[in-house]
């Protein structure tokens, strides 16, 4: 089902125009029960999830001045995938030059990205941080705008070293995703020389037989640590560890101090202006004061702004052929995080700073001081080129 | 804080601070001649103006408004125009009696200001409103509202006032307007996040904060002439975030504050060659130069201090405390 939500931002054609068109297709899943993602027991929303389209619209709203100047005609459309029908046929129903923003859960995102690559359509993963996708989707036309789990956890690891909190008790959930993400966290912590004093698994059961796994005081007792790191992808247990640990220690990871790519309370780098615009730019749908882009929305916004900003960094005579834009090292994006972003040529991951934040404050912006990289300031975050199994540029 | 919108305030106070400091000023004047200048520093977070003598001693602190940022001097009336961003107005501050004199209201997100003295006009960028406002200083009337891209910051004029340049951070564009009829002339596409604009001879210098460079355009044909990319030892390009640009009186030497790199750079503006990088405090943005051209004031926004550089030796000679988050500095005589 193809739905045009927003048409023709710019009509001014100046004499110096590129006279190009820029089409964006936001791909969603028909009838996805998205609200279940962010909800915990008793209908409490612990991780708000929103469709990324608002952030894409914001990116085009911001791009309008430049696009008007150059006569670039930008359009957004939405493709709601029906899982029973052929994904290939559905992707072929949108213009082939579209920038595909894949606002999809992991499995179907993986399928859609593979098909997009076969069709030689440019696709951005904006929602899935899983490390394995950076390897399974090591494809010339596929890009990742949301940080990988390793980027998030490397940021956390650097922060812990910076603070001198070198002994970590790791508490994780039992799900498959928790196990995968815990192994990413372990790899990050070891990379920076942090000691994991013990690795324990929690259970949601209240049964007295399981009290060593469900009572925070027991789960975090019997061992000495500087900090408790929690992997709880659904945020349905970890929240209760804070202020209940056996030793009075901070909690980090999926609760407490959390690595994120965007935050409502970032007060530097022009971020307040971007946050204000996000809340206010749709006259009829203003958002509340503490609402900001989710990491998926920020990723979608970043992907579009990378294309826009490339005109500034590559020069106006350059064309808007998406593949040449995205593989050009001169293409850079102002991410409102103090350091410009760009695409890692080996695995097509958008490099960017990562924020360490509590629910109400940004505590630090990684890379932390003194974490140095021989080539690029932010490449201490995430799998680096020599370690990566994905080598697209070779 | 409330000030009458048009009528001048006439409350006068004896200048106690000046009287008390006279012996100090005198003794320093003997040690270092030609240091009569005073630096006025706007502090975003403490909402005040700090007055400081040329050797870095604070002589006065005046609480002014919410988030004072950009400032410009009107020399013939000895006034300072201060953008109060969180109040959405510009205050005309009388430097003779150190009192606010007038208030130009309804200027949302006022960020940077510029003055064109011969035509007596005030130019204000409105950060959150994607526009700039031109006002007639005498009447306070709005002469024009100029649409820009999102987050307009720096505004500059040619000496004759015939062209207006406004940098839009988000759009990556410098909008050029006719300074007489306010019609749009052209859009100059810049590198990422253009911040401040300064003109020497027929060159428009634009700092690109996220592009880590200064771009130079010809003010006649508006074409790009050159760019200066910064690379102090031990830094990666992406850590360099230039903001304020300042020329000396001759226009032959430029100073650029490098933000996250904690350095200020001295440039031979004629040859476009870097002469020296000087380490200062944290996140330098605002720059000011004493009229004798001997001292550079560098405001360090994140360490709440100012580094004073002796330009004969090109070395920092003093670091002094400012208010909280110092933003801009104007040097008055």
């Amino acid at each position: 089902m193809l739905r045009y939500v927003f048409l023709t931002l710019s009509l001014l054609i100046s004499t110096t125009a590129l006279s190009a068109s820029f089409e964006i297709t936001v791909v969603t899943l028909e009838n996805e029960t998205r609200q279940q993602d962010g909800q915990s027991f008793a209908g409490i929303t612990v991780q708000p999830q929103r469709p990324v389209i608002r952030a894409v619209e914001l990116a085009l709203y911001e791009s309008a001045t430049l696009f008007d100047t150059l006569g670039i005609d930008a359009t957004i459309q939405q493709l709601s995938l029906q899982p029973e029908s052929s994904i290939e046929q559905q992707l072929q129903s949108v213009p082939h030059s579209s920038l595909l923003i894949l606002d999809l859960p992991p499995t179907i995102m993986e399928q859609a990205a593979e098909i997009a690559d076969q069709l030689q359509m440019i696709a951005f993963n904006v929602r899935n941080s899983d490390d394995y996708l950076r390897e399974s989707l090591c494809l010339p036309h596929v890009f990742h705008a949301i940080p990988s789990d390793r980027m998030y956890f490397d940021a956390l690891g650097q922060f812990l070293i910076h603070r001198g909190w070198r002994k970590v008790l790791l508490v994780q959930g039992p799900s498959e995703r928790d196990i995968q993400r815990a192994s990413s966290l372990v790899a990050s912590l070891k990379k920076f020389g942090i000691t994991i004093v013990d690795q324990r698994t929690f259970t949601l059961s209240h049964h007295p037989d399981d009290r060593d796994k469900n009572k925070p005081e027991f789960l975090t007792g019997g061992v000495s640590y500087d900090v408790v790191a929690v992997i709880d992808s659904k945020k349905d247990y970890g929240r209760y560890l804070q202020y209940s640990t056996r030793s009075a220690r901070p909690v980090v990871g999926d609760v407490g101090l959390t690595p994120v790519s965007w935050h409502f309370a970032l007060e530097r780098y022009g971020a307040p202006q971007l946050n204000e615009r996000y809340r206010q730019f749709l006259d009829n749908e203003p958002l509340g004061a503490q609402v900001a882009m989710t990491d998926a929305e920020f990723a979608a916004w970043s992907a579009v702004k990378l294309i826009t900003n490339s005109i500034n960094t590559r020069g106006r005579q350059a064309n808007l052929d998406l593949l040449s834009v995205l593989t050009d090292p001169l293409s850079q994006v102002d991410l409102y995080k103090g350091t410009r972003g760009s695409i890692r040529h080996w695995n097509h991951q958008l490099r960017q700073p990562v924020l360490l934040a509590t629910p109400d404050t940004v505590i630090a912006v990684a890379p932390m001081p003194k974490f140095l990289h021989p080539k690029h300031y932010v490449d201490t975050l995430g799998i680096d080129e020599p370690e990566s199994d994905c080598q697209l540029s070779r | 804080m409330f000030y009458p919108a048009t009528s001048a305030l006439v409350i006068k106070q004896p200048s106690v601070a000046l009287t008390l400091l006279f012996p100090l000023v005198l003794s320093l004047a003997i040690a270092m001649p030609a240091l009569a200048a005073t630096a006025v520093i706007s502090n975003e977070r403490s909402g005040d103006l700090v007055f400081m003598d040329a050797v870095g001693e604070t002589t006065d602190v005046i609480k002014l408004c919410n988030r004072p940022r950009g400032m410009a001097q009107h020399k013939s009336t000895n006034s300072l125009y201060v953008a109060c961003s969180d109040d959405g107005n510009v205050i005309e501050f009388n430097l003779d009696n150190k009192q606010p004199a007038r208030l130009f209201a309804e200027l949302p997100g006022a960020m940077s200001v510029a003055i064109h003295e011969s035509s007596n006009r005030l130019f204000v960028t409105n950060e959150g409103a994607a526009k700039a406002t031109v006002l007639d200083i005498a009447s306070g009337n709005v002469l024009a509202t100029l649409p820009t891209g999102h987050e307009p910051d720096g505004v500059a004029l040619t000496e004759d006032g015939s062209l207006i340049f406004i940098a839009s951070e988000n759009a990556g564009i410098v909008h050029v307007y006719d300074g007489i009829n306010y019609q749009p002339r052209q859009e100059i596409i810049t590198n990422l996040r253009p911040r401040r604009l300064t003109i020497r001879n027929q060159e428009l210098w634009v700092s690109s904060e996220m592009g880590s460079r200064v771009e130079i355009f010809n003010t006649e044909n508006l074409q790009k002439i050159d760019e200066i990319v910064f690379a102090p030892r031990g830094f990666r390009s992406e850590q360099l975030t230039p903001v304020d640009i300042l020329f000396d009186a001759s226009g032959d030497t430029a100073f650029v504050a490098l933000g996250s790199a904690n350095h200020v750079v001295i440039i031979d503006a004629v040859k476009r060659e870097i002469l020296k990088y000087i380490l200062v405090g944290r996140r330098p943005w605002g720059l000011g130069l004493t009229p004798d051209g001997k001292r550079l004031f560098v405001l360090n926004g994140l360490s709440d201090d100012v580094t004073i550089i002796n330009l004969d030796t090109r070395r920092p000679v003093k670091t002094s405390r400012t208010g909280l988050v110092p933003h801009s500095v104007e040097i008055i005589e």
Side-chain angles (χ1 to χ4, degrees), chain A residues 7-185:
Chain A
L7 278 174
T8 315
L9 258 176
S10 61
L11 290 166
L12 277 176
I13 308 291
S14 76
T15 49
T16 52
L18 279 169
S19 301
S21 63
F22 177 31
E23 290 139 338
I24 301 167
T25 302
V26 178
V27 186
T28 55
L29 183 61
E30 181 93 346
N31 297 326
E32 186 190 355
T33 51
R34 186 189 298 265
Q35 64 279 9
Q36 285 181 0
D37 283 355
Q39 290 213 343
S40 183
F41 182 59
I44 291 166
T45 303
V46 289
Q47 298 187 96
Q49 305 277 335
R50 280 184 297 272
V52 302
I53 191 147
R54 184 185 178 104
V56 173
E57 289 174 6
L58 173 65
L60 280 196
Y61 172 75
E62 292 181 348
S63 305
T65 315
L66 188 63
F67 287 180
D68 282 353
T69 299
L70 294 172
I72 296 169
D73 198 10
T75 55
I76 304 179
Q77 54 187 272
Q78 195 162 322
L79 173 65
S80 185
L81 283 184
Q82 292 173 313
E84 315 80 52
S85 311
S86 151
I87 293 176
E88 182 172 348
Q89 276 176 16
Q90 293 176 83
L91 288 183
Q92 280 177 320
S93 73
V94 302
H96 185 261
S97 59
S98 273
L99 178 71
L100 301 176
I101 302 287
L102 304 179
D103 187 6
L104 297 167
T107 312
I108 190 125
M109 194 281 290
E110 223 176 337
Q111 293 169 24
E114 279 166 6
I115 292 164
D117 185 69
Q118 285 157 19
L119 296 171
Q120 302 196 343
M121 295 174 84
I122 302 294
F124 260 96
N125 163 32
V126 297
R127 223 168 103 181
N128 301 284
S129 60
D130 312 67
D131 290 318
Y132 75 85
L133 292 173
R134 275 68 182 165
E135 282 159 24
S136 69
L137 293 180
C138 179
L139 300 168
H141 296 85
V142 177
F143 296 81
H144 305 272
I146 192 166
S148 64
D149 284 335
R150 277 301 298 274
M151 290 168 72
Y152 285 125
F153 293 142
D154 282 353
L156 183 60
Q158 290 185 6
F159 179 85
L160 296 179
I161 290 289
H162 182 73
R163 279 278 179 275
W165 299 340
R166 290 168 177 268
K167 289 194 298 180
V168 171
L169 172 64
L170 175 54
V171 174
Q172 65 177 84
S175 76
E176 191 55 41
R177 183 135 202 271
D178 287 338
I179 291 164
Q180 275 174 17
R181 292 180 65 245
S183 78
S184 293
L185 176 60

Side-chain angles (χ1 to χ4, degrees), chain A residues 166-170 185-187 189-190 194-199:
Chain A
R166 290 168 177 268
K167 289 194 298 180
V168 171
L169 172 64
L170 175 54
L185 176 60
V186 168
L189 297 183
K190 287 190 172 159
I194 288 169
T195 306
I196 295 163
V197 296
D198 201 3
Q199 193 165 346

Side-chain angles (χ1 to χ4, degrees), chain A residues 61-63 65-66 69-70 267-271 273-274 277 301 305 309-313 316 332-340 372-378, chain B residues 45 67 69 127-128 148-151 169-173 175 186-193 209-213 215 236-241 260 282-283 302:
Chain A
Y61 172 75
E62 292 181 348
S63 305
T65 315
L66 188 63
T69 299
L70 294 172
E267 59 189 37
R268 291 183 56 195
Y269 315 122
Q273 278 76 40
L274 177 56
R277 240 186 339 267
W301 175 89
K305 287 302 293 284
N309 283 175
S310 74
I311 297 168
N312 297 87
T313 58
R316 65 195 294 169
Q332 290 156 349
V333 53
D334 180 355
L335 292 173
Y336 288 70
K337 294 200 274 190
T339 303
R340 55 186 181 259
L372 303 177
H373 187 276
K375 289 186 179 164
H376 198 292
Y377 174 58
V378 295
Chain B
R45 192 145 192 174
R67 205 175 186 196
R69 291 201 276 181
E127 188 186 23
T148 66
H150 297 289
E151 300 166 34
E169 297 177 26
N170 175 281
I173 285 179
H175 287 265
Q186 194 171 316
E187 293 85 16
I188 300 174
I189 297 177
T190 68
N191 209 295
L192 298 184
R193 193 165 278 260
E209 189 181 15
M210 283 294 128
S212 308
R213 70 195 71 201
E215 295 177 289
R236 300 268 175 249
S237 163
E238 55 273 13
Q239 290 170 289
L240 298 158
T241 55
S260 305
R282 289 187 58 213
R283 205 209 64 190
L302 294 184

Side-chain angles (χ1 to χ4, degrees), chain A residues 171-180 200-205 213 231-233 236-237:
Chain A
V171 174
Q172 65 177 84
S175 76
E176 191 55 41
R177 183 135 202 271
D178 287 338
I179 291 164
Q180 275 174 17
R200 298 174 180 178
T201 302
F202 66 75
T203 167
L204 282 171
S205 153
K213 295 197 184 78
I231 293 296
D232 177 15
S233 306
D236 52 15
Y237 176 87

Side-chain angles (χ1 to χ4, degrees), chain A residues 210-224:
Chain A
D210 292 337
R211 67 181 183 180
D212 59 332
K213 295 197 184 78
N214 62 27
K215 279 228 176 292
E217 299 85 340
F218 288 102
L219 190 58
T220 59
V223 63
S224 158

